[in-house]
């Protein structure tokens, strides 16, 4: 048990103690009430009431924040664009992502009886219409899938193929179980029959009554959750066959049972005990129980009885200031982007007592299901969805709890307007955006996965300058090993900061049989950036291509070595990858800068804190003005080589060497961010763009040749 968890446990115990105090408080309040009901107390009631009103009025003036309402004319209802499918199968996701899966896309006798023949989720989505200007309705599936039915295993296979190609780990099927009666079980049972489909899955008991919400008659119950005494035993008996499947998701070898609405279950603690006992009796063994909770309400009432918790976006995520007015008084219209921003504080102040999995959702809209009283997450955008997902990723990386997931609502909730499946209007934009976030790819990255070299273009008439800042000479052999993989001739220029290091570097170069090089010493000023500029300033015009490296260790983190090796692998790594890099340069004359996608551990904290811009804005403004760059290029999603190691065409970035001087740099004082060196690191792609060039972020997936 780590210290943070111990602290959380102590908080929980303190809350239990406070409950005891509250009970004692109630006892003394009863005595107090006896006093205030006396005659003498009543005689002074009028004076006390006036005093109380005056105090209350002053407190309201000081404490109550005015509700901010957003006029819908000033916001865009749904901000997206069409995207083709991008294959992410060559990129490793950084967290296990599970999408909630709605099985209501095939007809069943009960729905036929309640709603009409052949009723499915498509019935209402097909009939939906826009309710206001800009309202994205109807939602129509992409022709790649069409109006499918889930009694067809080929459709399920196709869905899983798409999910796997986008780095999604598994599906959470809604499990509709009513005292032994099952509804909509066909899709998950089909998956159970087809063992050849390699894809993890889990069941989430959707333990709610089914009502006529589609026509506004919520009190008209179609099928009820009765929670009978024998239900816990029967439930586990029915659940067992799924847990016996090797694909069923387990936590430390215990099958996972998710409970959607634990608060509706009478005596949930006792039910959990019965589930665990029955699982042991029938051979399942120990089980893992997770319950849904509301992330910002800090409700720990069920925490002692379960092994983990999860939230379910967008349940109760809105705040008063998220309302959008002026659309329809019968609609609950909330500002998606403002909700995302408010969650930054919610997550910061959330300290789960047990393992906790967070969730995200897209442009949620259930107007297809309701004539009145529908809810719309207005002002949805791909950018906000990406922010939300990366925010959750950063929070989950901060927690030490293992065996947690990112949940997405949902794979296919077409009637609620939130789905990862492609649609006719915007294609694969939602699922592509999710995959970028879970794979650590910048939102606006121009991404290339290097996985093969179709044609080796061994053009030899260009000149390459490799400039390396060697602050840590012990890393130099590792760097030289990478440089030996370059299949072209290059000139090696090295900077360091002391005479002793220069001598040590010279000895290493001699031992490595490097014959042609130059070593210059500069004061420890401007990190690796200022030495790079001062040395290259004299020689840049003699070269066509430029590679900057340094011996990164990052004394402020415990993953500096991994970060360095990650970047080395992506921009060097093997000869085939370097050939592929030069193929990109040669195929595209207007490609100016190539660099690695960010190292994940630094990327999520950078996105979360907006440190890419906010902490560096002052120096960036000074630098960009000097370079003649339009300041409008500075935005939240600015991409740049986060390690300041990159390949470039010299013409794309040469102003760095002609315009920047050592006087632009502040003195070294142990700064972790916000220096001119950090500002310059953020300018390379924008400078290339100003000069008519593009940038490319790469991942090396080319295997070493045997």
């Amino acid at each position: 048990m780590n210290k943070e968890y111990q602290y959380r446990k102590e908080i929980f115990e303190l809350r239990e103690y406070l409950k005891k105090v509250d009970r004692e408080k109630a006892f003394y309040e009863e005595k107090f009430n006896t006093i205030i009901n006396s005659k003498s107390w009543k005689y002074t009631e009028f004076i006390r009431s006036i005093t109380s009103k005056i105090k209350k009025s002053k407190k309201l003036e000081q404490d109550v924040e005015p509700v901010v309402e957003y006029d819908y004319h000033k916001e865009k209802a749904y901000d997206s664009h069409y995207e083709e499918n991008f294959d992410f199968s060559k990129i490793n996701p950084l967290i296990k992502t599970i999408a909630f899966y709605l099985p209501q896309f095939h007809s069943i006798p009960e729905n036929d009886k309640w709603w009409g023949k052949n009723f499915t989720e498509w019935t209402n989505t097909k009939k939906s219409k826009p309710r206001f200007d800009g309202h994205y309705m109807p939602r129509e599936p992409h022709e790649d899938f069409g109006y499918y039915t889930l009694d067809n295993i080929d459709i399920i296979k196709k869905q899983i193929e798409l999910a796997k190609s986008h780095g999604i780990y598994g599906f959470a099927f809604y499990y509709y179980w009513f005292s032994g009666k099952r509804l909509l079980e066909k899709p998950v049972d089909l998956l159970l029959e087809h063992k050849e489909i390699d894809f993890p899955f889990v069941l989430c008991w959707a333990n709610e009554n089914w009502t006529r919400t589609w026509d506004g008659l919520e009190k008209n119950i179609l099928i009820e959750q009765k929670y009978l005494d024998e239900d816990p035993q029967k439930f586990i008996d029915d659940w067992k066959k799924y847990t016996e499947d090797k694909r069923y998701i387990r936590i430390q070898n215990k099958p996972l049972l998710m409970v959607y609405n634990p608060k509706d279950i009478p005596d949930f603690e006792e039910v959990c005990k019965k589930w665990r006992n029955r699982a042991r009796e029938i051979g399942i063994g120990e089980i893992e129980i997770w319950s849904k909770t509301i992330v910002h309400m800090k409700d720990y009432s069920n925490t002692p009885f379960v092994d983990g918790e999860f939230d379910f976006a967008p349940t109760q995520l809105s705040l008063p200031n998220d309302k959008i007015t002026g659309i329809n008084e019968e609609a609950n219209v909330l500002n998606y982007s403002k909700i995302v921003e408010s969650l930054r504080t919610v997550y910061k102040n959330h300290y789960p007592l047990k393992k906790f999995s967070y969730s995200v959702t897209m442009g949620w809209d259930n107007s297809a299901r309701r004539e009145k009283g529908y809810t719309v997450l207005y002002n949805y955008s791909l950018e906000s969805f990406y922010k939300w997902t990366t925010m959750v990723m950063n929070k989950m990386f901060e927690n030490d709890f293992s065996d947690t997931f990112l949940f997405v609502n949902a794979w296919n909730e077409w009637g609620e307007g939130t789905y990862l499946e492609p649609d006719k209007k915007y294609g694969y934009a939602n699922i592509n955006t999710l995959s970028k976030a879970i794979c650590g790819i910048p939102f606006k990255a121009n991404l290339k996965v290097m996985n093969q070299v179709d044609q080796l273009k061994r053009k030899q008439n260009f000149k390459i300058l490799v400039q390396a800042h060697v602050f840590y000479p012990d890393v130099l052999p590792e760097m030289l090993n990478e440089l030996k993989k370059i299949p072209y001739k290059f000139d090696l220029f090295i900077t360091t900061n002391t005479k002793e290091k220069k001598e040590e570097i010279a000895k290493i170069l001699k031992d490595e049989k490097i014959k042609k090089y130059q070593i210059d010493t500069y004061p420890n000023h401007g990190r690796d950036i200022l030495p790079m500029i001062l040395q290259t300033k004299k020689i840049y015009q003699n070269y066509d291509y430029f590679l900057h490296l340094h011996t990164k260790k990052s004394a402020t983190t415990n993953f500096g070595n991994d970060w360095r090796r990650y970047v080395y692998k992506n921009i060097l790594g093997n000869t085939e990858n370097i050939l592929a890099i030069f193929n990109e340069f040669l195929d595209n004359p207007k490609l100016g800068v190539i660099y690695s996608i960010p190292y994940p551990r630094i990327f999520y904290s950078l996105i979360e804190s907006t440190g890419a811009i906010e902490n560096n804005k002052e120096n960036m403004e000074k630098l960009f003005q000097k370079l003649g760059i339009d300041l409008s290029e500075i935005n939240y999603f600015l991409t740049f080589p986060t390690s300041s190691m990159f390949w470039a065409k010299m013409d794309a970035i040469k102003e760095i060497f002609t315009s920047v001087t050592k006087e632009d740099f502040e003195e070294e004082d142990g700064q972790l961010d916000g220096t001119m060196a950090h500002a310059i690191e953020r300018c390379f792609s924008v400078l290339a763009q100003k000069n008519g060039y593009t940038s490319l972020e790469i991942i090396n997936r080319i295997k070493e040749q045997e």
Side-chain angles (χ1 to χ4, degrees):
M1 182 182 294
N2 59 46
K3 287 184 179 180
E4 186 177 3
Y5 182 81
Q6 182 62 36
Y7 294 150
R8 290 169 179 165
K9 182 174 181 293
E10 290 175 8
I11 291 171
F12 176 74
E13 291 169 348
L14 282 170
R15 286 195 177 96
E16 293 300 303
Y17 173 74
L18 288 173
K19 288 180 182 178
K20 180 181 176 182
V21 172
D22 284 341
R23 288 193 294 270
E24 293 178 356
K25 175 186 170 188
F27 170 76
Y28 288 108
E29 280 182 342
E30 185 177 353
K31 288 192 171 186
F32 178 71
N33 287 333
T34 303
I35 296 172
I36 65 173
N37 288 326
S38 64
K39 288 183 179 180
S40 60
W41 187 264
K42 290 179 180 178
Y43 290 150
T44 58
E45 181 179 0
F46 176 72
I47 297 173
R48 291 196 315 275
S49 66
I50 294 175
T51 305
S52 175
K53 287 179 181 178
I54 293 171
K55 289 181 178 179
K56 185 176 180 181
S57 175
K58 289 183 177 180
K59 188 176 189 303
L60 285 172
E61 289 177 6
Q62 295 171 357
D63 297 347
V64 177
E65 293 183 9
V67 173
V68 179
E69 295 181 338
Y70 296 90
D71 190 322
Y72 81 98
H73 292 100
K74 299 177 181 178
E75 308 287 348
K76 194 170 183 179
Y78 197 97
D79 188 7
S80 185
H81 55 264
Y82 187 89
E83 289 186 11
E84 297 289 350
N85 186 25
F86 189 95
D87 185 0
F88 289 81
S89 59
K90 297 287 185 181
I91 310 168
N92 298 326
L94 303 168
I95 202 165
K96 289 180 178 177
T97 300
I98 296 177
F100 287 105
Y101 185 100
L102 182 71
Q104 190 156 228
F105 291 91
H106 62 97
S107 61
I108 59 174
E110 291 81 1
N111 272 337
D112 287 350
K113 176 184 176 181
W114 295 328
W115 305 107
K117 192 69 174 174
N118 297 322
F119 175 88
T120 73
E121 187 78 357
W122 297 123
T123 304
N124 286 316
T125 60
K126 286 180 180 179
K127 294 187 297 184
S128 62
K129 296 179 181 179
R131 307 285 189 94
F132 49 82
D133 290 344
H135 189 200
Y136 177 28
M137 283 291 171
R139 309 290 183 92
E140 300 175 283
H142 194 280
E143 60 184 10
D144 288 352
F145 284 83
Y147 290 100
Y148 56 74
T149 59
L150 289 180
D151 51 7
N152 181 350
I153 191 60
D154 291 333
I155 289 295
I156 297 172
K157 285 181 178 179
K158 191 172 182 180
Q159 290 175 321
I160 287 174
E161 287 171 3
L162 178 63
K164 290 176 71 173
S165 72
H166 280 264
I168 293 171
Y169 176 71
F171 286 155
F173 287 88
Y174 293 124
Y175 189 60
Y176 298 106
W177 190 92
F178 301 85
S179 298
K181 182 176 178 59
R182 293 280 309 281
L183 294 178
L184 298 172
E185 70 278 6
K186 185 71 171 179
V188 70
D189 284 358
L190 274 175
L191 180 62
L192 207 63
E193 293 171 15
H194 288 266
K195 308 294 185 186
E196 76 279 6
I197 303 175
D198 182 21
F199 195 64
F201 70 98
V202 66
L203 299 185
C204 178
W205 184 23
N207 60 312
E208 291 185 312
N209 298 331
W210 277 25
T211 64
R212 298 190 70 88
T213 53
W214 272 275
D215 52 16
L217 300 175
E218 290 88 347
K219 295 181 180 180
N220 188 337
I221 296 176
L222 302 173
I223 185 168
E224 182 183 5
Q225 291 287 359
K226 296 182 178 179
Y227 304 110
L228 305 175
D229 290 342
E230 64 271 21
D231 277 358
Q233 176 179 322
K234 291 169 64 176
F235 183 93
I236 295 299
D237 290 349
D238 289 348
W239 180 58
K240 181 182 179 183
K241 69 176 181 179
Y242 300 101
T243 69
E244 293 173 336
D245 191 287
K246 67 178 183 179
R247 298 165 296 177
Y248 194 84
I249 293 173
R250 291 173 171 263
I251 306 297
Q252 296 178 358
N253 205 34
K254 297 182 292 184
L256 173 61
L257 171 59
M258 299 175 65
V259 184
Y260 178 77
N261 205 349
K263 291 188 177 300
D264 279 2
I265 301 175
D267 199 352
F268 183 56
E269 178 181 10
E270 184 62 24
V271 169
C272 288
K273 289 179 181 178
K274 290 180 178 179
W275 281 344
R276 295 184 195 278
N277 289 336
R278 186 58 179 172
R280 296 185 194 106
E281 289 172 0
I282 63 175
I284 296 176
E286 299 300 322
I287 65 175
E288 180 93 358
I289 302 172
W290 288 8
S291 63
K292 186 191 79 173
T293 189
I294 308 302
V295 66
H296 71 285
M297 295 183 73
K298 300 180 182 178
D299 181 1
Y300 300 95
S301 57
N302 292 318
T303 305
F305 322 136
V306 298
D307 304 292
E309 294 176 302
F310 63 96
D311 73 336
F312 187 85
T315 305
Q316 296 184 2
L317 282 181
S318 63
L319 299 171
N321 287 0
D322 300 327
K323 291 278 290 184
I324 289 183
T325 61
I327 293 179
N328 187 332
E329 294 304 319
E330 296 178 341
N332 183 32
V333 185
L334 306 172
N335 193 323
Y336 183 96
S337 66
K338 299 301 177 184
I339 288 174
V340 172
E341 291 304 318
S342 67
L343 283 171
R344 195 179 300 279
T345 302
V346 170
Y347 293 146
K348 182 179 180 181
N349 296 323
H350 184 240
Y351 299 100
L353 299 175
K354 291 189 176 177
K355 66 187 74 167
F356 196 96
S357 291
Y358 296 88
S359 68
V360 296
T361 193
M362 291 149 283
W364 206 88
D365 181 342
N366 67 353
S367 60
R369 288 184 170 181
R370 294 173 179 264
E371 181 64 30
K372 298 178 181 178
Y374 58 90
T375 298
V376 177
L377 292 189
Y378 197 89
N379 200 21
Y380 168 77
S381 69
L382 296 177
E383 291 188 1
S384 290
F385 176 46
Y386 181 87
K387 282 184 183 180
W388 189 349
T389 308
T390 52
M391 195 188 306
V392 168
M393 294 282 288
N394 186 58
K395 178 66 177 178
M396 295 181 79
F397 278 141
E398 286 179 354
N399 287 342
D400 284 340
F401 298 130
S402 58
D403 300 316
T404 55
F405 305 102
L406 167 67
F407 286 104
V408 182
N409 182 17
W411 177 259
N412 58 345
E413 280 280 10
W414 288 86
E416 294 182 343
T418 180
Y419 44 83
L420 290 171
E421 290 181 316
D423 68 14
K424 188 174 181 180
K425 187 172 184 180
Y426 297 117
Y428 293 80
N430 278 343
I431 196 168
N432 284 347
T433 300
L434 173 74
S435 298
K436 285 180 183 178
I438 65 176
C439 293
I441 299 168
F443 178 70
K444 291 191 175 180
N446 180 21
L447 177 66
K448 176 82 175 190
V449 180
M450 304 296 201
N451 52 37
Q452 63 180 15
V453 182
D454 297 324
Q455 181 180 358
L456 304 184
K457 300 177 179 178
R458 297 182 179 275
K459 187 175 180 180
Q460 295 289 336
N461 61 348
F462 44 72
K463 297 179 180 179
I464 302 172
L465 168 61
V466 175
Q467 198 287 322
H469 184 62
V470 182
F471 190 81
Y472 301 104
D474 60 302
V475 178
L476 182 56
E478 179 186 328
M479 179 190 289
L480 294 174
N481 185 55
E482 293 293 328
L483 291 175
K484 289 174 184 176
K485 299 169 184 176
I486 299 177
Y488 309 112
K489 292 181 179 179
F490 61 87
D491 291 341
L492 178 59
F493 280 71
I494 294 175
T495 54
T496 191
N497 66 310
T498 68
K499 179 181 177 182
E500 292 76 17
K501 287 182 182 179
K502 180 176 180 179
E503 292 172 353
E504 185 179 353
I505 290 167
K507 184 179 184 308
I508 293 172
L509 292 170
K510 182 178 179 181
D511 292 343
E512 294 283 344
K513 298 183 172 136
I514 307 295
K515 296 181 180 179
K516 189 175 180 181
Y517 58 85
Q518 179 173 321
I519 309 173
D520 295 318
T521 58
Y522 296 94
N524 184 25
H525 186 198
R527 302 192 314 152
D528 60 298
I529 298 293
L530 181 54
M532 173 196 77
I533 291 172
L534 295 177
Q535 188 182 53
T536 308
K537 186 187 293 283
K538 309 168 187 176
I539 54 174
Y540 76 91
Q541 63 271 27
N542 300 326
Y543 296 94
D544 304 306
Y545 292 92
F546 178 74
L547 170 65
H548 176 59
L549 300 173
H550 60 99
T551 53
K552 184 173 190 63
K553 281 191 178 181
S554 189
T556 60
T557 71
N558 58 3
F559 49 80
N561 289 331
D562 290 339
W563 185 355
R564 179 186 69 249
R565 290 167 189 145
Y566 180 86
V567 176
Y568 281 4
K569 178 185 177 183
N570 283 331
I571 64 173
L572 294 162
N574 45 35
T575 297
E576 291 75 19
N577 184 53
I578 298 165
L579 287 167
I581 287 171
F582 274 85
N583 280 350
E584 293 295 327
F585 277 132
L586 296 170
D587 288 342
N588 183 0
K590 285 302 179 181
L591 175 58
V593 184
I594 294 179
Y595 47 94
S596 167
I597 66 167
Y599 180 64
R601 290 287 297 276
I602 193 68
F603 173 66
Y604 289 112
S605 61
L606 191 67
I607 288 291
E608 163 60 12
S609 66
T610 65
I613 302 166
E614 292 303 319
N615 296 341
N616 297 280
K617 196 165 187 178
E618 184 177 346
N619 275 326
M620 289 174 74
E621 288 175 344
K622 292 177 184 176
L623 174 67
F624 280 30
Q625 185 174 13
K626 183 174 253 194
L627 295 173
I629 297 174
D630 185 355
L631 294 181
S632 66
E633 296 295 339
I634 303 177
N635 59 58
Y636 185 93
F637 294 107
L638 178 70
T639 67
F640 61 95
T642 54
S643 58
S644 71
M645 292 188 269
F646 59 94
W647 287 94
K649 285 178 180 169
M650 194 65 81
D651 282 346
I653 62 166
K654 61 186 178 183
E655 287 94 328
I656 284 292
F657 310 117
T658 59
S659 302
V660 179
T661 67
K662 63 182 180 181
E663 285 73 27
D664 294 316
F665 288 75
E666 58 283 282
E667 292 299 319
E668 290 295 317
D669 192 26
Q671 304 98 319
L672 302 180
D673 201 1
T675 68
M676 181 55 71
H678 290 96
I680 291 173
E681 182 180 47
R682 287 154 174 75
C683 86
F684 293 112
S685 58
V686 184
L687 178 58
Q689 183 177 348
K690 177 247 183 183
N691 289 328
Y693 291 90
T694 60
S695 300
L696 185 67
E697 294 184 64
I698 62 170
I699 304 171
N700 178 12
R701 288 291 181 266
I702 300 176
K703 294 181 179 179
E704 293 278 3
Q705 290 186 346
E706 296 180 358

